Amino acid sequence: MKEIILNHWTAIENHAKLPLSRLFQNNSDRVEQLSFEQSGIYFDFSKTHLDIELIEKFQELANAKDLKGQIDALTEGVAINVSEGRAAEHTAERGIGADTSVENAKLLRKRMHGLVQALDSNALGDIEYIIHLGIGGSALGPELLLEALKFGDEKYETAIISNIDGCALEPVLERFDAQKTLLVIASKSFTTAETFLNARSVIDWMVEQGVSDPYGKIVALTAMPDKAVEWGIDESRILPFSDTIGGRYSLWSSIGFSVALTLGFDVFEDLLAGAATMDDHFKNAAIENNIPIIAAFCDQYYSQIRHCQTRAVFAYDQRLGLLPDYLQQLEMESNGKSVLVDGQSLDRHSSPIIWGGVGTDAQHAVFQLLHQGTHLVPVEFLAVIEPGHSLAGEHHHGLLLNCFAQGAALMAGKSSDDVNRNYPGDRPSTTLLLDELNGQTLGALIAFYEHRTFANAVLLGINPFDQFGVELGKEMANALSSNDSNQMDPSTEILKNRAFPA
Ligand code: F6P
């Protein structure tokens, strides 16, 4: 089998490496063949080096890796997270999964809806402020959704705090009225150090401010409800979710509670419905038309064949400014691994480093390297046709035209006798153009990225659903804080002693 896979990779490696200009010259149907529409999003892969023959070669690799079978396993609740012996059931939250898991997700969502309604009708008194504490997947998803979909006239002011650095929490405590604050603790494991230090500080602040029953103003979102009970939170305010939902895939579960409360439950349901349309596409579309799979082919091509170490994502829409951060966790925590599912070493590049920012800001900061640097960086542009503001049309027009111009310039380049003014061109980009930004399209967009990440993992042969790589740093931090520093190196000892002299 190993040899068969290797042969497929060799065929991909040997595929003619034509420049983008030639690919366009050779095929007048290129844009039509390499662009797709799904769930209110237009995906244009024509400015990448994929062509139909290369897709066919990748398709053979995908078949050899049983990608379609793995998608079925993912969406049917098979225990594909083998290192942790469980399924990965985020799609069940959206209605696609094992029957019992879909049913369970519905029941838990009903419970969550009930609590949203109770809060809206002042069951916990007059609440105006929400402090949502969580880190990684318990923060990045909710924060992205709030930033992307808020209107500015929401009933609650919501702050998502993740960092242990008090500089994050203190300004919120200074601004919020403790008497009118709800504390939401979001933690799948209900053990994460940063989240619980912040939680204790918020409770201390509530007590100092004269809140009579601070524990009565806490909602817990977790896969470990027993731990939340032990922590002193009443069961009626604990919203559980299944431990088969990974942290970075958890925004669809009760981890989305603060989003549902702030933006409205209907918006939350739109997100789920939008994601379900992408799930359906991923599960049922043939490989050659399957958008997350085509995107993964592209990722693998640049990673393995062109040895690109990074991929850059630029949202030409301020509302999606947190998308690169969100994708960093999704893709790098999922696919930044060195072992295969069977325990053997991965002998290719794992996830590229994901980075990015917003356009047009990034054009005036980092695009120099993209146009003339020595690294080849595949770029992903995102833009939304419908503007998210009511200022003069020039703003949005200018924004979108800049986005399209950058993709064109990266591809076309421009030659000059002056070496400093020479642009090599032939630099690839993908463009995702959303009709509008709303719960449905954002849900579909995030599901697209989840499935692309999964397809990449299957092509590589790795398990995208564990994250053991983060554990050592946690252990070392504990050892340092408990003064158990026998195992520490001299450099770390000196740093600690400088910061905390005896
Ligand atoms: O340390 C990594 C991690 O486990 C992420 O995978 C997760 O999203 C984050 O920490 C937060 O974990 P929890 O939700 O259990 O607090």
Side-chain angles (χ1 to χ4, degrees):
M1 188 52 160
K2 213 171 166 188
E3 207 180 306
I4 297 176
I5 304 282
L6 202 61
N7 289 342
H8 289 305
W9 276 116
T10 307
I12 292 166
E13 169 76 52
N14 292 341
H15 185 74
K17 294 182 181 63
L18 299 179
L20 293 168
S21 53
R22 278 279 299 285
L23 291 170
F24 270 90
Q25 275 161 21
N26 290 355
N27 180 3
S28 55
D29 294 333
R30 183 169 171 78
V31 177
E32 205 182 306
Q33 287 175 354
L34 290 168
S35 60
F36 305 88
E37 245 181 299
Q38 174 64 39
S39 312
I41 310 172
Y42 174 76
F43 299 79
D44 180 3
F45 295 97
S46 67
K47 293 195 190 78
T48 72
H49 293 85
L50 287 186
D51 60 25
I52 296 301
E53 294 73 35
L54 185 54
I55 289 177
E56 279 165 11
K57 289 177 179 161
F58 266 112
Q59 201 169 340
E60 281 169 25
L61 172 71
N63 289 336
K65 291 275 187 182
D66 190 25
L67 177 54
K68 277 295 208 175
Q70 288 296 304
I71 294 172
D72 287 343
L74 170 77
T75 52
E76 286 165 12
V78 176
I80 54 172
N81 177 359
V82 285
S83 60
E84 296 180 311
R86 60 188 180 213
E89 299 198 282
H90 42 286
T91 63
E93 298 293 309
R94 285 112 63 155
I96 296 178
D99 292 347
T100 48
S101 307
V102 171
E103 234 8 79
N104 190 39
K106 270 191 203 153
L107 285 174
L108 293 176
R109 192 155 58 252
K110 207 166 161 200
R111 187 181 159 91
M112 170 172 158
H113 193 184
L115 193 54
V116 167
Q117 286 171 323
L119 277 149
D120 280 345
S121 50
N122 293 347
L124 294 189
D126 181 14
I127 300 290
E128 285 182 22
Y129 304 99
I130 299 165
I131 299 181
H132 172 114
L133 302 178
I135 198 162
S138 295
L140 288 163
E143 208 171 7
L144 166 68
L145 299 179
L146 284 176
E147 275 302 301
L149 300 177
K150 70 178 182 212
F151 279 100
D153 60 352
E154 283 74 24
K155 180 174 174 200
Y156 306 101
E157 183 177 347
T158 303
I160 306 229
I161 304 295
S162 49
N163 203 339
I164 195 170
D165 184 350
C167 290
L169 179 60
E170 190 171 54
V172 172
L173 301 185
E174 282 165 4
R175 206 168 76 240
F176 283 10
D177 176 348
Q179 303 292 340
K180 298 180 177 175
T181 296
L182 179 77
L183 170 57
V184 177
I185 303 177
S187 175
K188 178 179 175 184
S189 59
F190 225 70
T191 54
T192 305
E194 292 91 329
T195 301
F196 287 92
L197 180 57
N198 279 329
R200 279 190 291 274
S201 295
V202 174
I203 292 167
D204 289 349
W205 165 77
M206 285 175 155
V207 172
E208 273 162 31
Q209 299 287 313
V211 175
S212 54
D213 175 21
Y215 279 80
K217 296 270 182 72
I218 302 180
V219 171
L221 321 174
T222 184
M224 304 297 263
D226 293 351
K227 286 196 180 155
V229 172
E230 271 168 40
W231 218 77
I233 302 168
D234 189 82
E235 253 176 296
S236 62
R237 280 174 282 98
I238 298 173
L239 296 175
F241 63 95
S242 165
D243 74 346
T244 55
I245 296 171
R248 54 194 170 277
Y249 301 88
S250 65
L251 59 87
W252 320 98
S253 71
S254 67
I255 291 292
F257 170 75
S258 302
V259 176
L261 186 59
T262 310
L263 301 178
F265 208 77
D266 49 342
V267 174
F268 189 68
E269 286 191 324
D270 283 351
L271 280 158
L272 297 169
T277 62
M278 191 58 76
D279 294 339
D280 185 58
H281 168 80
F282 185 51
K283 193 168 168 54
N284 297 312
I287 289 187
E288 65 272 22
N289 299 316
N290 195 307
I291 306 168
I293 295 179
I294 298 289
F297 289 168
C298 228
D299 295 339
Q300 289 305 315
Y301 181 73
Y302 289 115
S303 224
Q304 315 304 342
I305 309 300
R306 302 287 183 115
H307 304 290
C308 300
Q309 294 194 341
T310 81
R311 188 174 92 241
V313 180
F314 296 102
Y316 275 66
D317 198 297
Q318 196 67 40
R319 295 169 293 177
L320 290 173
L322 293 177
L323 187 67
D325 291 17
Y326 178 81
L327 295 179
Q328 279 181 335
Q329 187 198 15
L330 176 64
E331 299 195 36
M332 292 164 73
E333 196 168 72
S334 295
N335 289 344
K337 315 262 167 79
S338 309
V339 283
L340 301 173
V341 173
D342 63 10
Q344 306 227 8
S345 294
L346 173 67
D347 55 4
R348 346 198 115 257
H349 300 298
S350 67
S351 165
I353 295 155
I354 306 295
W355 63 285
V358 290
T360 59
D361 294 7
Q363 288 174 205
H364 301 276
V366 296
F367 272 49
Q368 164 65 41
L369 179 148
L370 298 177
H371 287 287
Q372 288 187 317
T374 55
H375 295 95
L376 181 66
V377 182
V379 175
E380 189 141 292
F381 294 106
L382 287 108
V384 183
I385 296 174
E386 198 62 39
H389 59 82
S390 53
L391 294 187
E394 291 140 283
H395 282 276
H396 202 59
H397 210 189
L399 179 72
L400 264 50
L401 294 185
N402 265 282
C403 173
F404 306 151
Q406 288 299 325
L410 284 166
M411 177 166 79
K414 188 177 171 198
S415 54
S416 166
D417 295 338
D418 176 351
V419 287
N420 293 307
R421 291 181 166 76
N422 191 56
Y423 297 81
D426 197 34
R427 301 196 167 200
S429 66
T430 309
T431 305
L432 276 59
L433 189 57
L434 282 69
D435 293 339
E436 54 182 284
L437 185 62
N438 55 35
Q440 298 244 0
T441 54
L442 187 54
L445 181 72
I446 296 172
F448 157 74
Y449 281 112
E450 287 178 348
H451 295 323
R452 171 189 193 161
T453 304
F454 179 71
N456 271 306
V458 174
L459 293 173
L460 287 170
I462 60 181
N463 173 9
F465 298 117
D466 61 16
Q467 58 284 320
F468 294 109
V470 298
E471 296 307 324
L472 179 60
K474 291 182 193 172
E475 260 173 49
M476 293 283 220
N478 285 338
L480 261 182
S481 71
S482 65
N483 274 333
D484 176 15
S485 36
N486 294 342
Q487 53 190 330
M488 290 301 158
D489 60 86
S491 156
T492 308
E493 276 299 323
I494 288 172
L495 288 169
K496 184 182 167 190
N497 293 337
R498 279 186 77 96
F500 309 109

